[in-house]
Amino acid sequence: MNMIARLFLRAKHWQIFLLLFAIPTAAEIAAMGSVPPTVRSLKDLGEAGLLFGGMMVLYMFCFLAWFWSMGSFLSSIVKPALKLKMGFFRFALVYPALYIFAFLPVLLSPEPAWLAAIVPFHLFAMFCLFYSLYFVSRNLVLAEKGEPASFYDYAGPFFLIWFYPIGVWIVQPRINRLYAEGRNAERFTGTEAG
């Protein structure tokens, strides 16, 4: 397991809240406060638009890294018979990360036709994010229960992760507990995960 994944898996709920909600919100408020009142559209932002786009990309990568960490870890501790396939989950996290680089220039483009052309790609990026929510929430329940789970079983974690500014306070301690249990089991058996 890589260093970034371990950072997210060991992070406390308040640290994840700060990283994914409080800091980006404060930065956005500060950035919007520095925009002159003469700006009427995103195209007129200039350097402020680049700064805002850069913050958006950084936030998105942190958000996706949190999902990647949770999904990869939870999938690794689920019983093999219950394990969901990782292939589409990986793709569902990589696609929005690549898509954002296409979305930002189109958003700032003066051509409205580009906005219409990007709609299917945007909808697919949203689908990928919802699939990631499904994958993480279902694996969380599978890892905790060790038995098959219906949507009713993982609906709570699904919506908590979706509304992460609130849900992180409930979901992240569960992740921390499972990660600590896994680390304790490794120490007991004498094995060490990469």
Side-chain angles (χ1 to χ4, degrees):
M1 189 173 306
N2 67 34
M3 183 179 76
I4 293 173
R6 281 192 289 260
L7 259 169
F8 278 104
L9 296 173
R10 286 190 286 203
K12 300 297 178 203
H13 45 58
W14 62 269
Q15 293 167 321
I16 298 291
F17 178 80
L18 283 175
L19 180 68
L20 297 180
F21 185 73
I23 293 172
T25 301
E28 185 178 330
I29 290 169
M32 295 314 273
S34 68
V35 174
T38 58
V39 172
R40 296 191 186 272
S41 72
L42 290 173
K43 296 172 274 194
D44 300 334
L45 284 176
E47 287 181 17
L50 290 175
L51 177 64
F52 180 72
M55 290 183 334
M56 188 178 194
V57 167
L58 181 62
Y59 161 76
M60 184 73 158
F61 278 106
C62 289
F63 187 75
L64 294 175
W66 182 49
F67 270 73
W68 186 284
S69 301
M70 289 188 301
S72 299
F73 166 69
L74 292 169
S75 180
S76 74
I77 63 171
V78 168
K79 292 178 183 176
L82 301 173
K83 197 171 283 217
L84 300 172
K85 293 187 175 148
M86 286 287 293
F88 190 73
F89 173 69
R90 289 181 181 129
F91 176 81
L93 290 174
V94 170
Y95 178 80
L98 295 176
Y99 166 75
I100 197 166
F101 289 107
F103 173 71
L104 288 174
V106 169
L107 185 65
L108 299 173
S109 169
E111 296 295 324
W114 280 104
L115 286 175
I118 205 164
V119 166
F121 299 103
H122 193 77
L123 292 174
F124 187 65
M126 291 172 56
F127 170 78
C128 287
L129 290 173
F130 277 106
Y131 180 82
S132 300
L133 285 168
Y134 156 79
F135 187 89
V136 170
S137 60
R138 184 158 185 188
N139 272 314
L140 176 59
V141 172
L142 291 173
E144 288 177 332
K145 287 186 165 190
E147 58 188 42
S150 66
F151 180 73
Y152 178 77
D153 296 324
Y154 62 86
F158 179 90
F159 288 106
L160 286 170
I161 296 170
W162 185 2
F163 299 106
Y164 67 91
I166 298 165
V168 71
W169 300 94
I170 299 164
V171 172
Q172 190 65 23
R174 292 165 68 176
I175 300 290
N176 294 151
R177 181 182 47 78
L178 289 169
Y179 183 71
E181 288 171 2
R183 298 300 290 174
N184 289 336
E186 287 173 5
R187 286 188 196 107
F188 180 72
T189 61
T191 61
E192 199 59 40

